[in-house]
Short mmCIF file of all heavy atoms in Angstrom, two decimals:
data_model
loop_
_atom_site.label_atom_id
_atom_site.label_comp_id
_atom_site.label_asym_id
_atom_site.label_seq_id
_atom_site.Cartn_x
_atom_site.Cartn_y
_atom_site.Cartn_z
N THR A 1222 -196.22 -18.16 -52.97
CA THR A 1222 -197.13 -17.05 -52.70
C THR A 1222 -196.82 -16.51 -51.31
O THR A 1222 -196.31 -17.23 -50.45
CB THR A 1222 -198.61 -17.51 -52.74
OG1 THR A 1222 -198.76 -18.60 -51.81
CG2 THR A 1222 -199.02 -17.95 -54.12
N ASN A 1224 -198.04 -15.34 -47.74
CA ASN A 1224 -199.19 -15.57 -46.88
C ASN A 1224 -199.02 -14.85 -45.55
O ASN A 1224 -198.06 -15.08 -44.83
CB ASN A 1224 -199.33 -17.08 -46.58
CG ASN A 1224 -199.64 -17.91 -47.81
OD1 ASN A 1224 -199.52 -19.13 -47.77
ND2 ASN A 1224 -200.04 -17.30 -48.91
N ILE A 1249 -204.74 -10.27 -52.13
CA ILE A 1249 -206.16 -10.44 -51.86
C ILE A 1249 -206.35 -10.50 -50.34
O ILE A 1249 -205.42 -10.82 -49.60
CB ILE A 1249 -206.79 -11.68 -52.54
CG1 ILE A 1249 -206.15 -12.97 -52.05
CG2 ILE A 1249 -206.76 -11.58 -54.04
CD1 ILE A 1249 -206.96 -14.20 -52.42
N SER A 1285 -217.45 -21.22 -51.11
CA SER A 1285 -216.20 -20.75 -51.72
C SER A 1285 -216.15 -19.24 -51.65
O SER A 1285 -217.17 -18.59 -51.38
CB SER A 1285 -216.09 -21.23 -53.17
OG SER A 1285 -217.18 -20.75 -53.91
N LEU A 1328 -213.65 -26.41 -44.00
CA LEU A 1328 -213.11 -25.10 -44.37
C LEU A 1328 -211.58 -25.06 -44.39
O LEU A 1328 -210.99 -24.21 -45.05
CB LEU A 1328 -213.65 -24.02 -43.44
CG LEU A 1328 -215.17 -23.81 -43.55
CD1 LEU A 1328 -215.61 -22.68 -42.64
CD2 LEU A 1328 -215.59 -23.50 -44.99
N LEU A 1329 -210.95 -26.00 -43.69
CA LEU A 1329 -209.48 -25.99 -43.61
C LEU A 1329 -208.85 -26.11 -45.00
O LEU A 1329 -207.98 -25.31 -45.38
CB LEU A 1329 -209.01 -27.12 -42.69
CG LEU A 1329 -207.52 -27.18 -42.42
CD1 LEU A 1329 -207.03 -25.91 -41.73
CD2 LEU A 1329 -207.17 -28.40 -41.57
N GLY A 1330 -209.29 -27.10 -45.77
CA GLY A 1330 -208.72 -27.34 -47.10
C GLY A 1330 -208.93 -26.13 -48.01
O GLY A 1330 -208.01 -25.73 -48.74
N LEU A 1331 -210.10 -25.58 -47.93
CA LEU A 1331 -210.43 -24.42 -48.78
C LEU A 1331 -209.51 -23.24 -48.48
O LEU A 1331 -208.98 -22.59 -49.38
CB LEU A 1331 -211.90 -24.05 -48.54
CG LEU A 1331 -212.38 -22.75 -49.16
CD1 LEU A 1331 -212.25 -22.79 -50.67
CD2 LEU A 1331 -213.84 -22.49 -48.77
N GLN A 1332 -209.30 -22.97 -47.18
CA GLN A 1332 -208.44 -21.84 -46.79
C GLN A 1332 -207.00 -22.07 -47.23
O GLN A 1332 -206.32 -21.17 -47.71
CB GLN A 1332 -208.53 -21.62 -45.27
CG GLN A 1332 -209.92 -21.17 -44.82
CD GLN A 1332 -210.09 -21.27 -43.31
OE1 GLN A 1332 -209.92 -20.29 -42.59
NE2 GLN A 1332 -210.41 -22.45 -42.81
N LYS A 1333 -206.52 -23.31 -47.08
CA LYS A 1333 -205.14 -23.62 -47.49
C LYS A 1333 -204.98 -23.45 -49.00
O LYS A 1333 -203.96 -22.98 -49.48
CB LYS A 1333 -204.79 -25.07 -47.11
CG LYS A 1333 -204.45 -25.25 -45.63
CD LYS A 1333 -204.08 -26.70 -45.38
CE LYS A 1333 -203.71 -26.99 -43.94
NZ LYS A 1333 -202.42 -26.41 -43.54
N LYS A 1334 -206.03 -23.83 -49.74
CA LYS A 1334 -205.98 -23.74 -51.21
C LYS A 1334 -205.88 -22.26 -51.64
O LYS A 1334 -205.09 -21.91 -52.50
CB LYS A 1334 -207.24 -24.40 -51.78
CG LYS A 1334 -207.28 -24.48 -53.27
CD LYS A 1334 -208.35 -25.50 -53.70
CE LYS A 1334 -208.50 -25.55 -55.20
NZ LYS A 1334 -209.28 -24.45 -55.75
N ILE A 1335 -206.68 -21.41 -51.00
CA ILE A 1335 -206.66 -19.98 -51.34
C ILE A 1335 -205.23 -19.44 -51.12
O ILE A 1335 -204.69 -18.71 -51.94
CB ILE A 1335 -207.68 -19.19 -50.48
CG1 ILE A 1335 -209.10 -19.60 -50.83
CG2 ILE A 1335 -207.48 -17.67 -50.63
CD1 ILE A 1335 -210.16 -19.08 -49.86
N ALA A 1336 -204.63 -19.84 -49.99
CA ALA A 1336 -203.28 -19.33 -49.66
C ALA A 1336 -202.23 -19.86 -50.62
O ALA A 1336 -201.24 -19.19 -50.91
CB ALA A 1336 -202.93 -19.70 -48.23
N ALA A 1337 -202.43 -21.09 -51.13
CA ALA A 1337 -201.45 -21.68 -52.05
C ALA A 1337 -201.52 -21.00 -53.42
O ALA A 1337 -200.54 -20.97 -54.15
CB ALA A 1337 -201.70 -23.18 -52.19
N GLU A 1338 -202.68 -20.44 -53.74
CA GLU A 1338 -202.88 -19.89 -55.09
C GLU A 1338 -202.60 -18.39 -55.20
O GLU A 1338 -202.41 -17.88 -56.29
CB GLU A 1338 -204.33 -20.15 -55.55
CG GLU A 1338 -204.57 -21.62 -55.84
CD GLU A 1338 -206.03 -21.95 -56.10
OE1 GLU A 1338 -206.90 -21.08 -55.84
OE2 GLU A 1338 -206.29 -23.08 -56.53
N SER A 1339 -202.66 -17.66 -54.06
CA SER A 1339 -202.57 -16.19 -54.16
C SER A 1339 -201.74 -15.59 -53.04
O SER A 1339 -201.64 -16.18 -51.96
CB SER A 1339 -203.97 -15.56 -54.03
OG SER A 1339 -204.90 -16.23 -54.82
N VAL A 1341 -201.89 -13.50 -50.11
CA VAL A 1341 -203.12 -13.26 -49.34
C VAL A 1341 -202.86 -12.75 -47.93
O VAL A 1341 -201.89 -13.14 -47.29
CB VAL A 1341 -203.97 -14.57 -49.29
CG1 VAL A 1341 -203.27 -15.65 -48.48
CG2 VAL A 1341 -205.36 -14.33 -48.73
N MET A 1343 -204.90 -13.23 -44.74
CA MET A 1343 -206.04 -14.04 -44.31
C MET A 1343 -206.33 -13.73 -42.86
O MET A 1343 -205.45 -13.84 -42.01
CB MET A 1343 -205.70 -15.52 -44.51
CG MET A 1343 -206.87 -16.44 -44.29
SD MET A 1343 -206.49 -18.15 -44.79
CE MET A 1343 -206.68 -18.05 -46.56
N VAL A 1352 -204.38 -22.97 -39.72
CA VAL A 1352 -204.57 -22.94 -41.17
C VAL A 1352 -203.23 -22.72 -41.90
O VAL A 1352 -202.90 -23.44 -42.84
CB VAL A 1352 -205.60 -21.86 -41.58
CG1 VAL A 1352 -205.79 -21.84 -43.10
CG2 VAL A 1352 -206.93 -22.10 -40.87
N LEU A 1353 -202.48 -21.70 -41.47
CA LEU A 1353 -201.21 -21.38 -42.14
C LEU A 1353 -200.07 -21.34 -41.12
O LEU A 1353 -199.49 -20.28 -40.86
CB LEU A 1353 -201.32 -20.02 -42.85
CG LEU A 1353 -202.46 -19.85 -43.86
CD1 LEU A 1353 -202.50 -18.42 -44.39
CD2 LEU A 1353 -202.28 -20.84 -45.01
#
Side-chain angles (χ1 to χ4, degrees):
T1222 56
N1224 295 166
I1249 61 166
S1285 59
L1328 295 182
L1329 184 62
L1331 171 61
Q1332 294 167 97
K1333 281 182 179 290
K1334 185 164 176 281
I1335 294 169
E1338 289 172 349
S1339 314
V1341 67
M1343 189 171 280
V1352 180
L1353 304 175

